[in-house]
Amino acid sequence: HARRLITQADLATALWDLGHKDAHKVMRPRHEAPLPGSPAHSRAQTGDHLARYMLAYYRAIYLLVRLGQPAAALVQLDRALELLAAAPPSSTSSYARRWIQYFRIACTQHCGRMREAGELAQSQLEEALSRGDHTVSGGLSVFAAVALLAADRPEPAERLLEQTASRLRPGEVTLQDFMLIGSLGVPHSYQGRARKAWSVVAAHLERYGASFQGRVMNRGLLEMSTCGLAAAAALKADEGAERKQLTRAAKRLAESARTANSPTNAGCPEAVLACLTGDRAAAVAALQKRWHSPMAPMVEQFTRRRLGELVAGDAGRAMIAEADVFLRAGGVVDPERFVSAMVP
């Protein structure tokens, strides 16, 4: 019982620390002395396997989501798997393993290894669905669909996301809505259907935004992912009421996303706003500013390619070529279409 309480306290402290301004001090590497009262300090005092597993798990999330370091996060996730396997089995062990695998796939994809991430996502998705686990299946479906797009297979990606969306509960907003909404339109974008991409996302986005979760959870991140979809649809729409409506939607989302900053999200609201007005110089400046913030390797290459498209001459072509080498090495068949869909 005492160990269980310590483990729960460790988890609560880790969650609190992830959002704390001094989280980088608390989540310090193992060879440094842990701060008193930190998860690492509790782990050192108790030696509890579950406490150690949870610390490794949340340290990995911190490394990925806050610092954009997926390779370092993978080391911690592998450690978490080892510790979980060494702990006495419980009724939640398989559930915990699936979430570790979910973040391992996220890290693999953000390292740029699309093909490998897709294979892992597909196997984990099949296992989750066979167990009726729809909590993690939404995110796994997104990773599998992105890998299908990387392989130039947009139709299967579209079907997979449609099947996943059909499992969302109309009267209930969940984490799966957040995971899925930003990706629903991507297969349509890949196929050049910008207006369709936005229409698929818009209804879900309105429902999510009206919910309590939509108002308080990860504010700005979903807007960061979708403002480009609305802008691309606006630029494809005919002159008149539709274009004005879509432009207003894109501007509203981009403004809401200005406060968001994620090293695993390639969206750049300032660049979206500049593109809406045809201001190339402002778009370049926005992407260059984004370039100097922490970002995962895949996001870095997305940004490099988009910036290269806007920069004239040999410098722009060199940036595109460098990004394409990285993306093709990871399994992306058509880097231009893929990046355009992922970062509209």
Side-chain angles (χ1 to χ4, degrees):
H1 179 68
R3 282 192 173 189
R4 184 158 56 249
L5 289 176
I6 291 168
T7 298
Q8 291 169 351
D10 221 335
L11 169 58
T13 308
L15 285 167
W16 181 80
D17 284 333
L18 285 173
H20 193 268
K21 62 183 178 63
D22 292 326
H24 65 286
K25 298 177 183 177
V26 179
M27 294 296 177
R28 60 181 63 189
R30 284 182 312 204
H31 64 270
E32 297 183 28
L35 295 177
S38 72
H41 187 260
S42 299
R43 180 207 68 192
Q45 289 183 316
T46 65
D48 188 279
H49 274 82
L50 288 178
R52 295 165 68 195
Y53 137 70
M54 288 182 180
L55 177 59
Y57 177 66
Y58 284 103
R59 181 182 281 137
I61 296 174
Y62 173 75
L63 286 165
L64 175 65
V65 175
R66 288 297 183 92
L67 301 185
Q69 298 177 7
L74 271 171
V75 174
Q76 294 296 325
L77 290 167
D78 288 343
R79 176 64 176 157
L81 277 177
E82 292 174 5
L83 291 166
L84 188 62
S90 71
S91 59
T92 61
S93 295
S94 62
Y95 179 80
R97 276 194 295 273
R98 280 195 291 278
W99 276 106
I100 295 174
Q101 292 294 356
Y102 168 86
F103 282 106
R104 289 186 76 255
I105 294 162
C107 290
T108 303
Q109 194 163 92
H110 281 291
C111 284
R113 305 201 302 268
M114 296 290 175
R115 189 183 302 106
E116 180 183 347
E119 292 170 355
L120 290 170
Q122 189 60 46
S123 64
Q124 289 296 317
L125 177 60
E126 290 171 1
E127 180 181 347
L129 291 176
S130 71
R131 292 174 177 266
D133 182 355
H134 297 302
T135 55
V136 72
S137 63
L140 292 172
S141 295
V142 170
F143 291 137
V146 169
L148 287 169
L149 287 179
D152 197 26
R153 299 179 61 199
E155 292 85 2
E158 184 180 336
R159 288 195 298 272
L160 175 58
L161 292 177
E162 286 175 350
Q163 291 167 2
T164 306
S166 70
R167 292 192 290 269
L168 296 176
R169 299 174 181 177
E172 181 182 355
V173 172
T174 67
L175 176 62
Q176 284 62 52
D177 292 79
F178 176 79
M179 291 178 166
L180 190 62
I181 291 171
S183 302
L184 283 174
V186 177
H188 298 286
S189 292
Y190 187 90
Q191 297 171 87
R193 303 196 297 258
R195 293 160 74 185
K196 175 66 174 177
W198 170 247
S199 68
V200 167
V201 167
H204 290 282
L205 193 62
E206 183 177 357
R207 182 174 70 92
Y208 184 82
S211 70
F212 175 77
Q213 180 172 296
R215 292 192 296 271
V216 301
M217 180 178 173
N218 294 322
R219 294 185 63 181
L221 287 183
L222 199 54
E223 291 86 348
M224 193 176 183
S225 299
T226 55
C227 62
L229 284 174
L235 294 174
K236 290 289 186 180
D238 297 330
E239 294 287 349
E242 184 187 14
R243 174 170 286 195
K244 290 179 181 178
Q245 180 185 12
L246 290 168
T247 299
R248 283 196 300 269
K251 288 181 176 178
R252 183 181 69 252
L253 290 169
E255 290 293 344
S256 298
R258 279 181 179 272
T259 57
N261 182 24
S262 169
T264 58
N265 191 321
C268 183
E270 292 82 3
V272 168
L273 290 170
C275 288
L276 279 170
T277 59
D279 191 339
R280 180 183 292 264
V284 169
L287 287 173
Q288 287 175 333
K289 181 180 178 180
R290 177 81 169 94
W291 184 261
H292 294 294
S293 61
M295 59 180 70
M298 182 181 71
V299 175
E300 179 182 355
Q301 299 305 325
F302 285 174
T303 306
R304 173 179 276 120
R305 198 181 203 289
R306 276 314 210 183
L307 187 56
E309 292 169 1
L310 294 173
V311 174
D314 292 341
R317 286 190 289 272
M319 295 178 78
I320 291 172
E322 184 175 349
D324 287 357
V325 167
F326 176 93
L327 293 166
R328 287 197 176 100
V332 178
V333 174
D334 189 337
E336 181 178 5
R337 291 177 70 193
F338 183 70
V339 175
S340 294
M342 298 295 291
V343 195

